[in-house]
Amino acid sequence: MKFEVIKDIPDGWETTAKVGDILTLGKWEGVSTLFKGKKAVCDAESEYSKNHCKPIEHASH
């Protein structure tokens, strides 16, 4: 699953994220996490995830 950043995340775990960045869902130290590339940004259940990101809907062909 992918997420689009809709509000900047200035102090992520390993990196920042800006509006328009695409984050992917993965595991970091056993926790569901949103990643920008290979760097962890935030916990998938965090306020950053809920308030600064939106899920991207996949269009069916």
Side-chain angles (χ1 to χ4, degrees), residues 4-54:
E4 180 179 357
V5 178
I6 58 172
K7 187 174 177 186
D8 288 355
I9 301 173
D11 57 348
W13 285 342
E14 294 183 310
T15 191
T16 62
K18 300 281 186 196
V19 171
D21 285 347
I22 303 301
L23 307 181
T24 56
L25 185 63
K27 291 279 187 184
W28 188 63
E29 296 185 3
V31 177
S32 289
T33 302
L34 297 182
F35 287 86
K36 180 179 168 184
K38 295 185 183 232
K39 300 220 178 227
V41 176
C42 63
D43 184 321
E45 298 299 319
S46 70
E47 290 301 310
Y48 274 146
S49 173
K50 294 175 184 173
N51 298 323
H52 293 240
C53 303
K54 69 174 183 179

